Amino acid sequence: MSSPHTYVDIVIVGAGPVGLLLAVCLARWGYRIKLVDNREVPTITGRADGVQPRSLHLLRNMDLKRAIMANAPAKSYEVAFWDPQPAGKGIHRTGNWASCPSFIDARYPFTTTLHQGLIERVFIDDLNKHQVYVQRPWTITGFRNDGQDPKYPVVINLKHVNSSESETMRAKYLFSGEGARSFVREQLNISIHHKDPIAHIWGVMDGVIRTDFPDIKLKCTIHSDNGSVMVIPRENNMVRLYIQIASSTDKDWNPHKQATEKEVQESAKRIMKPYYIEWEHVEWYSVYPIGQGIAEKYTLDHRIFLGGDCCHTHSPKAGQGMNTAFHDALNLAWKIHHVEGGFAKRSLLATYESERKRIAEELLEFDAKYAALFSQRKPTASDVDVASDDHEGASKNEFVEIFKATTEFTTGYGIAYGANELNWTAEHPAQSTLFNPRGSRLRTGRIMPTANVTRVADANKVQLEQEIPLNGSFRIFLFAGIPSLTKRAVSDFAANLETRNSFYSVFQREDVASVSYHERHNPHSHFFSICTIFALPRDEVEIAGLLPAILARYKDHVYADDVWDERVPDAKASAHAKMGLDHEHGGVLVVRPDGHVGCVVGLVEGSGTVDALNGYFGAFAARPVGGKEARARL
Amino acid sequence: MSSPHTYVDIVIVGAGPVGLLLAVCLARWGYRIKLVDNREVPTITGRADGVQPRSLHLLRNMDLKRAIMANAPAKSYEVAFWDPQPAGKGIHRTGNWASCPSFIDARYPFTTTLHQGLIERVFIDDLNKHQVYVQRPWTITGFRNDGQDPKYPVVINLKHVNSSESETMRAKYLFSGEGARSFVREQLNISIHHKDPIAHIWGVMDGVIRTDFPDIKLKCTIHSDNGSVMVIPRENNMVRLYIQIASSTDKDWNPHKQATEKEVQESAKRIMKPYYIEWEHVEWYSVYPIGQGIAEKYTLDHRIFLGGDCCHTHSPKAGQGMNTAFHDALNLAWKIHHVEGGFAKRSLLATYESERKRIAEELLEFDAKYAALFSQRKPTASDVDVASDDHEGASKNEFVEIFKATTEFTTGYGIAYGANELNWTAEHPAQSTLFNPRGSRLRTGRIMPTANVTRVADANKVQLEQEIPLNGSFRIFLFAGIPSLTKRAVSDFAANLETRNSFYSVFQREDVASVSYHERHNPHSHFFSICTIFALPRDEVEIAGLLPAILARYKDHVYADDVWDERVPDAKASAHAKMGLDHEHGGVLVVRPDGHVGCVVGLVEGSGTVDALNGYFGAFAARPVGGKEARARL
C-alpha cells in the first residue's frame, strides 16, 4: 500500500441503525469518522420499524425523540389476540394486553412504529450537524489489523460501488454494521451459530387498507383456520401485515417457496373473515426466509467489531431488530470513548462482546419462546386479566410468568448485563461493606429506575434519569437525604473526591481552569457528571449553603426530591424510595454512560464512600486510583 | 384604479405574532392570503418572548408546540420575590410562588420564554408548507372598502419599502397586525384610549451573564433600596432584565429620559447586592416608553380589522403581549372561516371586537393591578404559603384573591368571553331546560377543562381536549355515560342529527359521499367534528355495537373514560367528572373552534338534545336550522 494514508478514528461500514447510532455518539464526542454504505440512498420502504419503550427513552436521552415523533409514528399500547371461532364462523378476539404493562417502569409505555428510513433520516441529520456525511454507494473491499501503526493499527480499503474510485485509510477501529450479509464477518471467518434449526418463510406487506376489523390500529396476532397473520399499525394510515408463508416443519416444506402480493392478500382476506380487508395502496411487499442465528464472536482483536443484524438474525415479529442494534452500538460507543479518552483500560472493550452477545442469546431464546407462545398457547381473556392485575404476592401461573418475562424483554427494560468490572457484584475486585446498602432496589447491570424530581436552579419538574444527556459520562447520583443528618457525610464525600488519587482528581479535565461558566455536565471531567438530590422540598434547598464547592459547581444538577409519585404513594421522598435508598441518609448511585446501574454505595461520614467508588472505577481505570495515599491526605 | 386587480381572500399587514397566527389558520383552511411586512427580515432579537401555559396548549393544538420546544426555551415554573433587608444589607428572598399553581388545570404549568424571532420562524415554516410567503419589505399605502365588488369589497395598495414597485389588489378582508404604530388604524381614525395616565420608561436587556444570585434561572421581581428589576430566564443561558428607568410619578419626570447599556448594568449591579452580576455578552438592549392604551374600535365595517399591539399597549412585565395577540388572531380566524364557509351569519364577526376588546380591557386593568402588586405590596413568605395551600373553604385574604385572579389571567386560563350567541347563557335565543344540566362544571366562554381518556381504536392514552386539532370546526363531545342507560338517548341523538333540518344535515359537506375513508375529523362537515366518550373501560367499548353509523364514522374519535385522574381521585369516570357530567347519563358539550365552551346540553331520549343544539347553532347559522319540520320526521 503505497498511497499516503488518511487517518480516522473509526471506519463504520453500513449506515443502518447500528452504524448510525454508533456514528452519532462518536461524532458528538469528537471522533473522526468515515461512514460508508453500499446503498445509493437511505432505506426507502419497509424493514425494521418498531422502536421499543426503552429505545425511545434512549433516543430522548440523545435529544432525538422529538425529531422521531415529529413524523407522527403509530403508538401501540396494546396487543390483541384473535382466534378462530368454532364451526367456521371466522375469528374473534380472545384477549388483549398492554404492550408495556404498568409493572414495567417505562416513561413511554408503548411501541413506536415508523418506517426505518425516517428513523435513519433523524440520525443522518444529526450527523450532518457534526459534519459527518454518509459516503454512498461505497463498500469495503479489504482490511487488516497490520499493527504497523500502534495508534492506527487497522488498514481499510474502500471502493465506490459503481466505479473504480477507491480509498485506503488507517483507523483505530473498524466496525461492521453491514447487516446479515457481512463482508467483514466473512473475512474474519466468524461463523454464525444457528440456534433453532426451524426456518420460516415470511411475507411482509406495508400498505393503506380499508377494513371493518375493529383492532386494525392495534398490534394483533390473528390465528384462524386459514392461517395466521400479525398486524402492526404504522404511520400515515399504513398497516403492516406479517404472514407466515412456509415453515420447515411443514410437510411440503420448500425453502424457496414464494408468494405473490395478490396471493398474500387473498390469504389475509381468508384469515380475517368475517371482517373484510381491502388495499388502497401497497407501499412495500417482500418475501424472505428467517432463521435464528448468532455470530460466534463480535470481535477477534478488539479493533474490528461487528454489531446489529451482522451478529444476530431472528424473526421480526417482536420488533426487536433495530432495538438490539441500537443497544449494541451504544454499548460499544462509550467503551471506545473511555478507552481512547484515557479513562479506561483497553480490556474494557472485551465487555462489549460478553455483554451484548449474552443479550443476543437471550433474544433468540425469547424469540423461540415468543413464537411458541403465539402458535401453541392461545391466551384467553381470563389469563390476561390475571396477568394485568398481578401484584407482588398474588397467585402466579406459568402463563403470567412467561408474559411478564417476555414483556420486560420486548420493551427493552429486561436488558440485564451480568457481573463484570462494570456491574458490581460480590465478586467484583472492589470490596467494601458499603456496596449495595440495605434496602437498595437497584440491580447492577439493569437500567436505572425513573424518578421525577424538581431541579432547584429553575424549579423545573424533571425526569432525573434524563438529566444527564448521553454525553459518554458516568452519572454519579448523590442521593443526599436530609442535610441535617448527612451534612458531614456530604462534606466528607466532597473532601475525599478532592484527594490527589481519587478517580475525581486523577481524571480531571486538563483544561479544568478554563471551562466555561455555563458548562453544565462536564465542568471537571469528560468521564463523569454529578447530580445531587436532597430529600427536601425545593424551597428549602439553598445550593450555596448545603453543598461544598465542587458539588455546587454542578448548579444545574441539584434536585429536590419533592414530587409525589403514584408508584410509591406513601414515600417521604419518591426518588430516594424508588431507588430503595433511605430518605434520611441517602446513598450514591453510579450509572454507566448507557444508563445501566454500575454500583450503589452507602453515603457515610469519613472516606468510605469515595474509597468504594475508587475501588469500583479502579477496576477498569487506565490509571491507578485510590489507595492509602489518598486517604492520608484527609 | 385602472390596473387589473389581483383577488385574494385576505391581506394581512404585519408578520408579527398576530398576523402570523391568523395567516397560519387561514392558510391551513384553504384561504388565499397576501401577507406583507415592512421589515427586511423576521425579528432578530428581543421583543416579546413569553409563551403562557394556555398559549402553549394552543400551539400544541396547532401541532406547532414540538417545533417551538425544539429551540430549548427556558421554562419558568416559579416566580421569586426579593426585597431589601434592613440596614443596607442588600436583597433577600421573601417568597416565591408557582407561575401556574395547581388550582389551574393546565397541561403545561410554566411560562415558556423564547426569542420572538424563533417563534415567528415556526409560523413562517408552517406557512411556507402551504405556499404562503411573507412579502418583505412591503408596506400598505392605502385601502378602501369601496363596495364595488360585493365579494371583494376592499381595495388595497401595497408598495415595496425601498423601491417604487407597487401592487393593487381586491380582498374580502384586510387585517392590520402592524403593532403599536398602525397605518390602518390611523387611516380609520380609530383613537387609542389611554387607560392609565401614568407612563413609564423601561430598559430591557437580553444577555448572557455570570452571577452568584441563586434565582437567576427563575422569574424574579427584585425590589431594593437602589431600584427594582425583573429577571426573566431565556434560552441559551440568556437572561432578560427589565429595569424601570423613569416613571411619570417621579419628581424629576422626563419623558425622553435615556440610559446607556452601561448605566443600566451598573444600576442592576447596585440592585442585586450582595450578589454579583457580570455580563459575558449583551444580545439586545433597548429603552422604550410604556403607556397603557386601547383602541376604541377593532373594526369599523367588519371587513377591515385590527389586532394585537395595534389594539392594546401595556407593560411587558407579565409577558402578555404575544399571548393576547395569538388569541386575537385565533378568535378572528375561525369566525372569518365560518362566515366565508357559509356556516355563520356575517354578524358573527361583530363578536370579534366584543370578545377581544373586553379581554384587552381586563388585560390593562390587570396590568395596573399587577404593577401595583409589585411596587406597593411586597408579598411575604407567609402570604405565599397561604396562597399556595389555599383550598375551597380555606380562609381567604385579599392578597390571595388577587394572586389567584391574576395568575389565572396571566396563564391564559382566565380568558372568559361574555354572553353572546356563541356563549350560551339564560339570555341566549335558544331556550331549553336541557342547557346547563345540573352538576355541570363547564363555564361557557371559558376554556374546556383538560381530561385524559383512552382512544378506543388504538388504545392510546390521549388528551381529550387536544383530540380535535385546530381545524376550524366546532367540537361536539358526546359524553355517552354508560351505554346500558344511554343506548336509547344516543340512538335518538344520532337519528335527530340525521333529520333534514338539523345543523348536522343543513351543513353537510357537498362532497360527503366521496370523502376519504381515512378522514378522521371532518367526514361530514368542515364546521364540526364529533367525539364520543363512554364511561366504560376500553375493553368494553365495541364501536360497531354501541354507536349508530353516523357516530361510528368518527371511529378515531371514540374514547373510554377509564384513566384515573388525581384531580378527581374518587371519580368513576374522570373525564365525565371533570366536566361535572353524570357518569351514568352523560351530556353533550359543544366547544368552539378556539377551545372555549359554547354550550352544554343534557343527553336525553327523544329529540330534546338535538333540538337544543339546533337552537344554539341556529342563533348564528347562515341558514335556518331545526324547527318543527325536523321533529316531524322522527
Side-chain angles (χ1 to χ4, degrees):
Chain A
M1 261 162 259
S2 57
S3 67
H5 285 128
T6 310
Y7 292 83
V8 296
D9 291 312
I10 187 165
V11 171
I12 298 172
V13 186
V18 70
L20 287 169
L21 196 142
L22 179 63
V24 164
C25 289
L26 292 176
R28 290 179 175 191
W29 303 336
Y31 294 88
R32 278 165 310 147
I33 293 163
K34 168 72 87 173
L35 174 55
V36 299
D37 194 284
N38 61 13
R39 298 170 296 170
E40 296 273 355
V41 289
T43 305
I44 290 170
T45 52
R47 298 219 189 193
D49 60 359
V51 179
Q52 298 299 344
R54 165 59 193 149
S55 298
L56 195 61
H57 201 219
L58 167 64
L59 291 169
R60 160 83 151 76
N61 201 228
M62 299 177 75
D63 199 21
L64 297 177
K65 173 173 169 272
R66 189 176 281 123
I68 296 282
M69 300 314 270
N71 292 293
K75 300 184 207 170
S76 294
Y77 278 77
E78 296 239 344
V79 183
F81 297 88
W82 289 74
D83 288 295
Q85 298 181 90
K89 283 188 188 156
I91 56 172
H92 68 147
R93 192 192 298 115
T94 52
N96 58 303
W97 67 41
S99 305
C100 185
S102 60
F103 62 75
I104 296 172
D105 182 22
R107 291 283 180 192
Y108 311 110
F110 50 80
T111 304
T112 304
T113 47
L114 185 68
H115 155 32
Q116 181 177 327
L118 294 171
I119 296 169
E120 290 177 5
R121 173 53 57 200
V122 169
F123 287 106
I124 291 169
D125 288 348
D126 194 76
L127 283 174
N128 294 353
K129 281 183 206 156
H130 293 84
Q131 284 75 53
V132 176
Y133 302 92
V134 185
Q135 193 167 322
R136 303 177 184 271
W138 276 68
T139 190
I140 183 166
T141 56
F143 63 90
R144 197 154 52 103
N145 179 345
D146 68 3
Q148 284 179 18
D149 179 335
K151 245 186 122 182
Y152 294 89
V154 193
V155 186
I156 297 131
N157 307 110
L158 301 171
K159 184 188 160 299
H160 192 283
V161 168
N162 304 321
S163 80
S164 58
E165 207 184 336
S166 71
E167 289 181 18
T168 297
M169 48 189 32
R170 282 201 164 270
K172 294 174 180 166
Y173 298 95
L174 168 65
F175 180 82
S176 163
E178 296 167 279
R181 290 186 210 92
S182 164
F183 171 82
V184 173
R185 191 189 64 218
E186 278 167 28
Q187 292 293 306
L188 293 176
N189 257 320
I190 293 174
S191 62
I192 293 284
H193 175 57
H194 289 278
K195 305 279 282 188
D196 184 347
I198 300 171
H200 304 278
I201 298 169
W202 283 83
V204 56
M205 188 179 292
D206 283 349
V208 178
I209 64 173
R210 303 172 67 133
T211 181
D212 58 353
F213 177 66
D215 288 356
I216 198 67
K217 296 205 170 177
L218 296 180
K219 190 170 164 187
C220 297
T221 309
I222 303 174
H223 295 95
S224 82
D225 298 331
N226 299 303
S228 296
V229 69
M230 190 151 183
V231 175
I232 314 270
R234 300 277 307 265
E235 73 280 11
N236 292 332
N237 296 314
M238 276 199 299
V239 176
R240 169 171 292 187
L241 296 187
Y242 284 112
I243 297 186
Q244 193 170 310
I245 292 172
S247 166
S248 59
T249 57
D250 295 347
K251 272 176 282 182
D252 58 346
W253 164 244
N254 168 3
H256 304 290
K257 185 165 177 182
Q258 284 293 322
T260 65
E261 185 179 307
K262 178 110 183 126
E263 282 165 353
V264 164
Q265 289 179 346
E266 289 305 320
S267 173
K269 285 182 186 187
R270 280 191 301 273
I271 291 168
M272 294 190 64
K273 278 183 184 167
Y275 302 100
Y276 81 89
I277 177 168
E278 281 162 23
W279 276 261
E280 289 189 354
H281 160 72
V282 172
E283 177 166 296
W284 181 57
Y285 170 64
S286 182
V287 170
Y288 56 96
I290 290 290
Q292 279 205 325
I294 191 164
E296 285 191 303
K297 302 291 293 172
Y298 281 34
T299 181
L300 295 180
D301 60 355
H302 301 108
R303 289 291 188 172
I304 302 164
F305 289 94
L306 318 173
D309 286 358
C310 182
C311 295
H312 34 75
T313 59
H314 47 86
S315 91
K317 282 186 299 190
Q320 293 300 305
M322 182 161 53
N323 300 276
T324 309
F326 285 161
H327 293 287
D328 283 353
L330 172 65
N331 193 290
L332 182 59
W334 74 264
K335 291 172 183 173
I336 287 179
H337 176 47
H338 280 238
V339 168
E340 293 303 319
F343 187 89
K345 294 176 193 157
R346 187 156 289 281
S347 60
L348 184 72
L349 290 170
T351 64
Y352 167 61
E353 179 179 297
S354 61
E355 291 191 336
R356 293 306 304 167
K357 194 174 169 216
R358 182 174 139 178
I359 299 299
E361 280 162 357
E362 281 179 36
L363 169 60
L364 265 63
E365 245 173 73
F366 150 77
D367 190 43
K369 209 167 7 180
Y370 202 63
L373 220 137
F374 280 165
S375 56
Q376 292 153 26
R377 170 71 156 82
K378 287 161 194 159
T380 64
S382 64
D383 281 337
V384 173
D385 283 348
V386 172
S388 305
D389 296 345
D390 188 52
H391 296 295
E392 220 78 52
S395 69
K396 314 262 186 200
N397 68 35
E398 189 208 11
F399 178 76
V400 172
E401 290 307 298
I402 293 176
F403 168 46
K404 288 179 75 160
T406 57
T407 315
E408 206 178 11
F409 195 88
T410 51
T411 57
Y413 285 96
I415 300 174
Y417 296 137
N420 61 20
E421 61 265 49
L422 291 167
N423 312 312
W424 193 92
T425 60
E427 286 74 45
H428 194 275
Q431 291 293 321
S432 161
T433 55
L434 295 176
F435 282 109
N436 274 358
R438 200 157 56 93
S440 168
R441 292 191 196 167
L442 297 159
R443 296 171 296 177
T444 57
R446 294 240 179 188
I447 314 292
M448 171 188 174
T450 67
N452 298 322
V453 292
T454 306
R455 190 159 55 209
V456 170
D458 61 7
N460 278 217
K461 307 287 179 212
V462 297
Q463 302 181 355
L464 182 60
E465 79 280 5
Q466 290 284 2
E467 278 292 283
I468 299 171
L470 188 65
N471 60 351
S473 302
F474 275 89
R475 303 156 185 204
I476 300 173
F477 294 94
L478 169 59
F479 285 85
I482 294 177
S484 57
L485 301 172
T486 58
K487 197 171 173 47
R488 177 72 198 278
V490 168
S491 75
D492 288 353
F493 180 77
N496 280 280
L497 283 181
E498 290 189 288
T499 54
R500 191 151 67 92
N501 282 359
S502 74
F503 71 93
Y504 172 88
S505 300
V506 171
F507 293 105
Q508 246 186 13
R509 290 172 66 152
E510 284 174 24
D511 60 350
V512 69
S514 59
V515 171
S516 161
Y517 171 86
H518 300 286
E519 173 57 44
R520 292 178 59 183
H521 311 299
N522 297 96
H524 298 134
S525 166
H526 289 297
F527 300 102
F528 50 81
S529 298
I530 305 180
C531 294
T532 305
I533 307 99
F534 288 104
L536 286 182
R538 178 186 166 276
D539 287 2
E540 296 175 25
V541 181
E542 290 290 347
I543 295 173
L546 294 180
L547 282 176
I550 64 159
L551 299 173
R553 173 62 187 85
Y554 298 81
K555 57 189 184 296
D556 293 307
H557 284 310
V558 181
Y559 306 90
D561 190 357
D562 62 357
V563 180
W564 180 82
D565 189 312
E566 62 177 321
R567 282 179 187 273
V568 284
D570 303 321
K572 288 192 175 132
S574 310
H576 282 70
K578 287 190 78 175
M579 309 298 151
L581 294 173
D582 183 283
H583 85 279
E584 293 187 329
H585 297 97
V588 178
L589 162 61
V590 176
V591 175
R592 305 161 23 145
D594 54 14
H596 290 254
V597 175
C599 70
V600 200
V601 183
L603 175 64
V604 295
E605 297 180 6
S607 71
T609 304
V610 173
D611 287 345
L613 295 183
N614 285 336
Y616 169 75
F617 286 114
F620 53 89
R623 289 154 64 188
V625 153
K628 276 188 188 130
E629 193 189 352
R631 273 200 297 284
R633 290 197 58 219
L634 251 194
Chain B
M1 263 162 260
S2 56
S3 67
H5 286 129
T6 310
Y7 292 85
V8 296
D9 291 313
I10 187 165
V11 171
I12 298 172
V13 185
V18 70
L20 287 170
L21 196 142
L22 179 63
V24 164
C25 289
L26 292 175
R28 289 178 175 192
W29 302 337
Y31 294 88
R32 279 166 307 148
I33 292 162
K34 168 73 85 173
L35 174 54
V36 299
D37 193 283
N38 60 14
R39 297 170 297 170
E40 296 271 355
V41 290
T43 304
I44 290 170
T45 53
R47 300 219 186 191
D49 61 358
V51 179
Q52 298 299 344
R54 165 58 192 150
S55 297
L56 195 61
H57 201 219
L58 166 64
L59 291 169
R60 160 83 152 77
N61 202 229
M62 299 177 77
D63 199 20
L64 297 178
K65 172 172 169 273
R66 188 176 281 123
I68 296 281
M69 299 316 269
N71 292 292
K75 299 184 207 170
S76 295
Y77 278 76
E78 296 240 343
V79 183
F81 296 90
W82 289 74
D83 288 296
Q85 298 181 90
K89 283 189 188 156
I91 56 172
H92 68 149
R93 192 192 298 114
T94 51
N96 57 303
W97 65 42
S99 305
C100 185
S102 61
F103 61 75
I104 296 172
D105 181 22
R107 290 283 180 193
Y108 312 110
F110 50 82
T111 304
T112 303
T113 47
L114 185 67
H115 155 33
Q116 181 175 328
L118 294 172
I119 297 170
E120 290 177 5
R121 173 53 57 201
V122 169
F123 286 107
I124 291 168
D125 287 348
D126 195 77
L127 283 173
N128 294 353
K129 282 184 206 156
H130 293 86
Q131 284 75 53
V132 176
Y133 302 92
V134 185
Q135 192 167 324
R136 302 174 186 274
W138 276 67
T139 190
I140 183 167
T141 55
F143 62 91
R144 197 155 53 102
N145 179 345
D146 69 2
Q148 284 177 18
D149 181 335
K151 244 186 125 182
Y152 295 88
V154 192
V155 186
I156 297 131
N157 306 110
L158 301 172
K159 185 190 159 299
H160 192 283
V161 168
N162 305 321
S163 80
S164 58
E165 207 184 335
S166 70
E167 288 181 17
T168 297
M169 47 190 34
R170 282 200 163 269
K172 294 174 180 166
Y173 298 93
L174 168 64
F175 180 81
S176 164
E178 297 167 277
R181 291 187 209 90
S182 166
F183 170 83
V184 172
R185 191 190 62 218
E186 278 167 27
Q187 291 293 306
L188 293 176
N189 256 322
I190 293 175
S191 61
I192 293 283
H193 175 56
H194 289 277
K195 304 279 282 189
D196 184 347
I198 300 172
H200 303 278
I201 298 170
W202 283 83
V204 56
M205 188 178 293
D206 282 350
V208 177
I209 63 173
R210 302 171 68 132
T211 181
D212 58 353
F213 178 65
D215 288 356
I216 197 66
K217 296 205 170 178
L218 297 179
K219 191 171 163 184
C220 297
T221 309
I222 303 174
H223 295 94
S224 82
D225 298 331
N226 299 303
S228 295
V229 68
M230 189 153 187
V231 175
I232 315 270
R234 299 277 307 265
E235 74 280 10
N236 292 332
N237 295 313
M238 276 201 298
V239 176
R240 169 171 292 187
L241 296 187
Y242 284 112
I243 296 187
Q244 193 171 310
I245 291 173
S247 167
S248 59
T249 58
D250 294 348
K251 269 177 283 180
D252 58 346
W253 163 245
N254 167 4
H256 302 291
K257 185 164 177 182
Q258 283 294 319
T260 66
E261 186 178 308
K262 180 112 180 123
E263 282 165 353
V264 165
Q265 289 179 345
E266 290 306 320
S267 173
K269 285 181 185 186
R270 281 191 299 274
I271 292 168
M272 294 188 65
K273 277 183 183 164
Y275 302 100
Y276 80 88
I277 176 167
E278 280 162 23
W279 276 261
E280 290 189 355
H281 160 70
V282 171
E283 178 167 294
W284 181 58
Y285 170 63
S286 182
V287 170
Y288 55 96
I290 291 289
Q292 278 206 327
I294 192 164
E296 285 192 304
K297 303 292 293 173
Y298 281 33
T299 180
L300 294 180
D301 60 355
H302 301 107
R303 289 291 187 172
I304 301 165
F305 290 94
L306 319 173
D309 286 358
C310 181
C311 294
H312 33 76
T313 59
H314 47 85
S315 91
K317 282 186 299 187
Q320 293 302 303
M322 182 161 53
N323 300 276
T324 308
F326 285 161
H327 292 287
D328 282 353
L330 173 65
N331 192 290
L332 181 60
W334 74 263
K335 291 172 183 173
I336 288 178
H337 177 47
H338 279 238
V339 168
E340 293 304 318
F343 187 88
K345 292 176 193 156
R346 187 155 289 279
S347 59
L348 184 72
L349 291 170
T351 64
Y352 167 62
E353 179 179 297
S354 62
E355 292 191 335
R356 294 306 302 168
K357 193 173 171 215
R358 182 174 138 179
I359 299 300
E361 280 162 356
E362 281 178 37
L363 169 60
L364 267 64
E365 243 172 74
F366 149 78
D367 190 44
K369 209 168 4 180
Y370 202 64
L373 220 136
F374 280 164
S375 56
Q376 292 154 26
R377 171 71 159 83
K378 287 162 195 160
T380 65
S382 64
D383 280 339
V384 173
D385 283 347
V386 173
S388 304
D389 296 344
D390 188 53
H391 295 295
E392 219 78 52
S395 68
K396 314 263 186 199
N397 68 35
E398 189 206 12
F399 179 76
V400 172
E401 290 306 299
I402 292 177
F403 167 46
K404 288 179 75 158
T406 58
T407 315
E408 207 179 10
F409 195 88
T410 51
T411 58
Y413 284 97
I415 300 174
Y417 296 138
N420 61 20
E421 61 265 48
L422 291 167
N423 312 314
W424 193 92
T425 60
E427 286 73 44
H428 194 274
Q431 290 294 322
S432 161
T433 54
L434 294 176
F435 281 110
N436 274 358
R438 199 156 57 92
S440 168
R441 292 192 195 165
L442 298 159
R443 295 172 295 178
T444 57
R446 294 234 177 193
I447 314 291
M448 172 189 175
T450 67
N452 298 322
V453 293
T454 306
R455 191 159 54 208
V456 170
D458 60 7
N460 279 218
K461 307 287 179 211
V462 297
Q463 303 181 355
L464 182 61
E465 79 280 5
Q466 290 284 2
E467 278 292 283
I468 299 170
L470 188 65
N471 60 352
S473 301
F474 275 88
R475 302 156 184 203
I476 300 173
F477 294 93
L478 171 59
F479 284 86
I482 295 178
S484 58
L485 301 172
T486 57
K487 198 169 171 47
R488 177 71 198 278
V490 168
S491 76
D492 287 354
F493 180 76
N496 280 279
L497 284 181
E498 289 189 289
T499 55
R500 191 153 67 94
N501 281 358
S502 73
F503 71 93
Y504 171 89
S505 299
V506 170
F507 293 104
Q508 246 185 14
R509 290 171 66 152
E510 282 174 23
D511 61 349
V512 70
S514 59
V515 171
S516 161
Y517 171 85
H518 301 286
E519 173 57 45
R520 295 177 57 183
H521 310 299
N522 297 95
H524 298 134
S525 166
H526 289 296
F527 301 103
F528 51 81
S529 298
I530 304 180
C531 295
T532 305
I533 307 98
F534 288 103
L536 286 182
R538 176 184 169 278
D539 286 2
E540 295 177 25
V541 181
E542 290 289 349
I543 295 173
L546 294 180
L547 281 176
I550 63 159
L551 299 174
R553 173 62 186 84
Y554 297 81
K555 57 189 182 299
D556 294 306
H557 284 309
V558 181
Y559 307 90
D561 190 357
D562 62 356
V563 181
W564 180 81
D565 189 312
E566 61 177 322
R567 283 179 186 274
V568 284
D570 303 322
K572 289 195 173 127
S574 310
H576 282 70
K578 287 189 79 175
M579 309 298 150
L581 295 173
D582 183 283
H583 85 278
E584 293 187 329
H585 296 96
V588 178
L589 162 60
V590 176
V591 175
R592 304 162 25 146
D594 54 15
H596 289 253
V597 174
C599 69
V600 199
V601 183
L603 175 64
V604 294
E605 297 181 5
S607 70
T609 304
V610 172
D611 287 345
L613 295 183
N614 285 337
Y616 169 75
F617 286 114
F620 53 88
R623 289 155 63 189
V625 153
K628 278 195 187 123
E629 193 190 353
R631 276 199 297 282
R633 291 196 56 221
L634 255 192

